[in-house]
Amino acid sequence: MRPELLFPIFAPLSSLSGVGPRIAKLLEKAAGPHVVNLLWHLPREVVDRSFSPPIAEAPAGRIVTIKVTVDKHFPPPDKRRPYRVACRDDTGALTLTFFHADKGYLERELPVGEQRIVSGRIEYFRSEAQIAHPDFITRPEQADSIPKIEPVYPLTAGLTPKVLRKAVLSAVSKAPALPEWLDPEYLRRKDWPSWHDAIEEAHNPQTGADVSAMAQNRQRLAFDELLASQLALAITRAKAKKLPGRSIEGDKRIRALAMKALPFKLTGSQVDALKEIGADMASTSRMLRLLQGDVGSGKTVVALFAMLNAIECGGQAALLAPTEILARQHFETIEPLAKAAGIRIAVLTGRDKGKARKALLEELAVGDIQILIGTHAIFQDDVTFKDLMLAVIDEQHRFGVHQRLALAGKGRGVDMLVMTATPIPRTLMLSAYGDLDVSRLPDKPPGRKPVDTRLVPNGRLDDVAEGIGRAVKSGAKIYWVCPLVEDSEVLDLAAATERFDDLKHRFGEDVVALVHGKMKAKEKDAAMARFIDGPAQILVATTVIEVGVNVPEATIMVIEHAERFGLAQLHQLRGRIGRGAAASTCLLVYGANLTETAERRLKTMRQTEDGFVIAEEDLRLRGAGELLGTRQSGMPVFRLADLAVHGDLLATARDDARLIIERDPDLSSERGKALRILLYLFERDAAVATLRSG
Ligand code: ADP
Ligand code: MG
């Protein structure tokens, strides 16, 4: 249960004075449903009203605060024109203008002959100084009521700065003093304010520096948020480790058979990864390990040997892939090796229905099928294993945490191996998984040649097509990736179809195949088959080939309007070539008017093939929020921390969380109790509940 101390800030917005249902709705849209969300709604910048030049020296466009004498009112002759009030000081004249003005109100606020202080943005109209709708008008003796520095908040349509500001201040006044949860030594070294002071300072900046990400108050709040998230992860993980796992350590008999059938030797990093995985599986706690390796680095084989380990112990294993194509491809990679090792594998996707599916499920339930490869279809309730020991999840970021749990629920103490080809920058890894065990496959299988990446302007597309024509004659296999069109699948498809027709026209019907996301699985397979084993040498594709697809003979890739793709996406796409022994070429065709970031993306692609370098650059160019498409990727979204800036705070929060859980696993010490409040404050209630249930 949430501590009472926090009740006032977890009350609905309508509990604030002056906030009725209509404004509450707007505030909720801008910030969130509770008072606490307004506390997290931090100003983006400040307006400085301290500049008070004489009228004659007021520069256009600046915010000024000026003492004037009111001369005369000019009510408009008709409603479309502004109400004008002529004012002056010793140096010149200033006109205040108001549209849709209330005459009585203006006469009361700006009585002729009296002095007033006005603040607003100076504009010049036919060399006459004007302020349209001054932000403040006060009597000289109340000059102090005009804030020298005014915070500027992100707004939402219909919400005015004044209303928002008032609500925020009201929220701040409800912020309780909370017991300190930070390590006293760390707090002293950083010289940060307390949580309560940080909230007050954040909403009452004195200078522009106070709203920067590096301001003391911002760092404190960012660290609090990161610590809450890392602590929650650490708690969940400590609990998972405590769950009874099973010691899985086979006699290597089956693995030896598969190894003999393997047409290559494992690389050093594959061997290392298998050692780490083997140690995890052998221990009695549950494995949760991430296998990170660039496209084509050979993760599938590693997964296979881990699965065979489980099978040697009499268990079963599941391999989950994000797409149908990829599931089938894993199946094809693994099948010959499985055959050699004398084990049975099967593939299950949404396409499998009726009798065949039923038969498959029966075999799975009695343990006759030892490895099941599949898509989301594996999650279905009627898919039951006799004894699932290991689940491997490929391309993790496409699956949510609850799906991971659903799979774990299909066995007892199931070990988890999560594979990702998206090289996630270290900072993002930490934020999403906390202190997760990671194995990496940094080197590619031997014999791979680097891909020659070139940038080609769109105007030279004809030359590109000619070059492709020569490559076709020499027997090459070519991917032709069509441009993304403004988030529209329909238009993506239109672009691909058009290119497909065009290339068929140039090179002949047989030579070109087309795959896209809207195709039925059967058609897709047929097109792929024509490309892999058939006469087709050019595969025109939307981004559906991004994940998976292994055609080692393919050596050329053309990406049209490459500037529209993200770095990670380009990297994934290019990873489809350079998989065989022959040299490969990637042509990034770009359109006119490149933005600066687009240009940097393309240059990065030309300079490096290192996925980790590319991922770090991606983080720099896009910022953490956008990377990997946030929500759907399972990456947490932070309100106060900006990972592109607060990366080092994240690492500290991770270390701190680990230490806390080591020393005070139940959070029962004084600091532990304060940390519980921190968890509630950032709505990590589930983590606290985990603590309680032991
Ligand atoms: P990933 O899933 O990491 O993208 P794959 O597991 O699909 O990569 O492997 C890519 C290709 O490399 C496959 O054709 C695979 O058979 C091959 N491969 C894997 N390991 C090695 C190795 N040690 N030596 C040579 N080829 C390998
Ligand atoms: Mg793979």
Side-chain angles (χ1 to χ4, degrees):
M1 277 293 278
R2 179 179 297 140
E4 251 173 70
L5 208 52
L6 297 180
F7 285 3
I9 53 172
F10 278 89
L13 292 169
S14 54
S15 69
L16 298 171
S17 65
V19 175
R22 192 185 66 86
I23 289 175
K25 219 178 227 158
L26 292 171
L27 290 172
E28 174 164 354
K29 208 163 150 217
H34 298 121
V35 173
V36 72
N37 300 113
L38 275 183
L39 298 182
W40 303 153
H41 195 68
L42 299 182
R44 248 202 301 247
E45 51 185 346
V46 295
V47 171
D48 185 344
R49 298 193 184 279
S50 60
F51 185 47
S52 303
I55 291 175
E57 287 167 32
R62 279 283 295 268
I63 301 269
V64 296
T65 304
I66 299 182
K67 192 198 277 183
V68 297
T69 304
V70 180
D71 269 344
K72 196 169 170 17
H73 282 232
F74 298 94
D78 63 70
K79 281 239 167 341
R80 280 170 305 150
R81 296 222 234 137
Y83 189 112
R84 296 153 50 85
V85 180
C87 308
R88 65 182 153 78
D89 69 0
D90 296 342
T91 68
L94 172 68
T95 305
L96 308 179
T97 61
F98 302 85
F99 286 89
H100 308 293
D102 172 349
K103 186 159 180 282
Y105 170 80
L106 288 179
E107 279 168 354
R108 277 194 306 280
E109 288 293 308
L110 294 160
V112 171
E114 287 196 24
Q115 285 195 321
R116 285 293 181 269
I117 296 188
V118 297
S119 183
R121 194 177 299 281
I122 282 278
E123 301 295 352
Y124 283 82
F125 187 67
R126 295 200 188 117
S127 77
E128 179 188 79
Q130 292 197 352
I131 295 179
H133 294 268
D135 303 317
F136 292 89
I137 301 173
T138 67
R139 295 162 186 273
E141 57 275 20
Q142 287 163 351
D144 286 350
S145 67
I146 300 180
K148 290 259 174 309
I149 294 280
E150 202 184 14
V152 180
Y153 290 91
L155 291 170
T156 193
L159 194 61
T160 67
K162 272 193 189 139
V163 168
L164 176 61
R165 175 68 180 160
K166 202 168 151 249
V168 165
L169 287 181
S170 168
V172 170
S173 74
K174 300 225 169 194
L178 298 174
E180 186 54 72
W181 47 73
L182 293 187
D183 174 56
E185 174 53 25
Y186 185 62
L187 184 63
R188 203 184 51 74
R189 219 173 42 214
K190 286 289 189 182
D191 198 23
W192 284 339
S194 69
W195 176 78
H196 186 269
D197 288 353
I199 285 289
E200 287 208 321
E201 285 171 28
H203 288 286
N204 295 295
Q206 301 302 309
T207 67
D210 289 348
V211 296
S212 93
M214 293 318 282
Q216 294 291 83
N217 69 77
R218 293 295 174 105
Q219 290 203 47
R220 156 88 212 212
L221 295 175
F223 187 79
D224 286 344
E225 182 175 42
L226 294 170
L227 182 61
S229 114
Q230 288 296 307
L231 192 58
L233 285 165
I235 290 168
T236 314
R237 213 162 122 61
K239 158 132 187 194
K241 286 226 158 173
K242 261 199 283 176
L243 285 178
R246 304 158 70 180
S247 171
I248 298 165
E249 199 169 14
D251 57 11
K252 304 223 159 129
R253 176 176 43 91
I254 299 178
R255 276 174 285 181
L257 292 174
M259 195 71 86
K260 243 195 245 156
L262 209 59
F264 46 75
K265 262 188 65 186
L266 294 183
T267 63
S269 52
Q270 282 172 324
V271 172
D272 290 346
L274 278 169
K275 263 193 209 134
E276 288 162 356
I277 294 166
D280 281 1
M281 291 177 77
S283 93
T284 49
S285 53
R286 277 199 209 191
M287 171 168 78
L288 177 54
R289 180 171 285 274
L290 189 75
L291 178 61
Q292 225 188 351
D294 227 333
V295 187
S297 58
K299 295 183 293 295
T300 314
V301 190
V302 173
L304 173 65
F305 281 95
M307 293 194 287
L308 294 180
N309 183 18
I311 288 154
E312 285 165 9
C313 295
Q316 291 165 296
L319 171 55
L320 188 65
T323 65
E324 172 120 22
I325 291 187
L326 199 57
R328 305 243 163 232
Q329 194 169 291
H330 279 317
F331 180 79
E332 270 144 38
T333 312
I334 288 176
E335 188 176 45
L337 299 168
K339 221 176 219 154
I343 64 159
R344 285 219 33 216
I345 71 171
V347 64
L348 179 71
T349 71
R351 244 206 284 176
D352 300 296
K353 298 215 167 79
K355 272 199 187 132
R357 178 171 183 276
K358 196 153 168 263
L360 188 154
L361 293 188
E362 273 163 17
E363 284 185 272
L364 186 68
V366 297
D368 286 350
I369 290 171
Q370 290 149 303
I371 295 180
L372 182 66
I373 299 170
T375 56
H376 288 83
I378 294 187
F379 295 130
Q380 286 157 350
D381 282 340
D382 58 348
V383 178
T384 54
F385 292 80
K386 177 158 178 265
D387 187 5
L388 179 65
M389 283 186 182
L390 171 67
V392 181
I393 305 182
D394 195 5
E395 301 295 345
Q396 154 70 7
H397 62 275
R398 301 208 173 199
F399 296 103
V401 172
H402 58 284
Q403 289 173 314
R404 204 160 77 190
L405 294 176
L407 199 53
K410 290 186 183 288
R412 286 184 297 119
V414 178
D415 279 335
M416 287 272 169
L417 180 65
V418 172
M419 308 199 290
T420 177
T422 310
I424 307 169
R426 176 111 196 103
T427 34
L428 281 192
M429 277 283 292
L430 271 180
S431 72
Y433 303 108
D435 205 8
L436 184 75
D437 299 314
V438 181
S439 297
R440 278 186 171 188
L441 298 180
D443 38 59
K444 291 197 179 190
R448 299 275 174 83
K449 293 214 176 63
V451 176
D452 177 15
T453 299
R454 296 185 207 169
L455 310 186
V456 186
N458 210 10
R460 286 185 43 211
L461 202 57
D462 267 337
D463 299 348
V464 170
E466 256 171 54
I468 294 298
R470 287 191 295 276
V472 165
K473 281 211 184 81
S474 70
K477 297 245 184 222
I478 298 139
Y479 291 110
W480 191 297
V481 181
C482 289
L484 289 173
V485 187
E486 296 162 11
D487 289 329
S488 160
E489 263 186 72
V490 179
L491 293 182
D492 282 353
L493 182 55
T497 315
E498 193 178 315
R499 182 58 67 210
F500 176 56
D501 290 339
D502 167 56
L503 292 174
K504 271 198 305 199
H505 184 70
R506 273 177 200 261
F507 304 121
E509 281 295 310
D510 272 0
V511 179
V512 194
L514 172 70
V515 287
H516 58 74
K518 286 261 181 271
M519 266 175 161
K520 294 220 175 67
K522 274 219 173 95
E523 299 168 341
K524 230 187 269 180
D525 287 355
M528 286 304 296
R530 282 213 308 134
F531 182 60
I532 296 170
D533 303 314
Q537 286 178 261
I538 304 177
L539 183 69
V540 176
T542 55
T543 49
V544 289
I545 58 161
E546 186 187 337
V547 174
V549 182
N550 188 24
V551 184
E553 303 78 39
T555 53
I556 298 175
M557 175 171 288
V558 178
I559 304 179
E560 276 193 74
H561 279 288
E563 78 278 5
R564 294 185 193 165
F565 294 83
L567 255 182
Q569 220 170 5
L570 287 172
H571 177 63
Q572 289 269 357
L573 284 167
R574 184 174 59 183
R576 303 298 116 208
I577 56 173
R579 298 197 139 211
S584 296
T585 308
C586 178
L587 300 177
L588 301 176
V589 181
Y590 60 89
N593 305 325
L594 280 191
T595 64
E596 200 178 312
T597 19
E599 193 176 326
R600 269 187 55 193
R601 283 201 297 266
L602 296 181
K603 282 192 174 147
T604 304
M605 286 299 292
R606 193 180 55 194
Q607 278 157 9
T608 183
E609 270 190 84
D610 185 326
F612 290 99
V613 173
I614 288 174
E616 297 287 350
E617 179 68 14
D618 207 15
L619 178 61
R620 261 194 301 279
L621 288 181
R622 290 208 277 167
E626 237 185 287
L627 203 61
L628 303 173
T630 53
R631 240 165 261 282
Q632 152 223 353
S633 69
M635 289 289 168
V637 183
F638 293 115
R639 292 290 306 268
L640 309 173
D642 175 356
L643 293 183
V645 186
H646 298 131
D648 54 335
L649 292 184
L650 177 60
T652 311
R654 188 269 323 260
D655 294 345
D656 201 12
R658 181 164 46 187
L659 217 62
I660 291 164
I661 291 305
E662 234 172 69
R663 293 191 184 151
D664 183 15
D666 305 321
L667 297 186
S668 51
S669 66
E670 266 319 293
R671 187 181 174 208
K673 283 181 196 143
L675 284 161
R676 283 172 180 247
I677 293 176
L678 171 72
L679 289 169
Y680 280 114
L681 183 61
F682 284 97
E683 299 175 60
R684 305 284 177 170
D685 302 27
V688 192
T690 304
L691 276 180
R692 194 146 298 136
S693 64

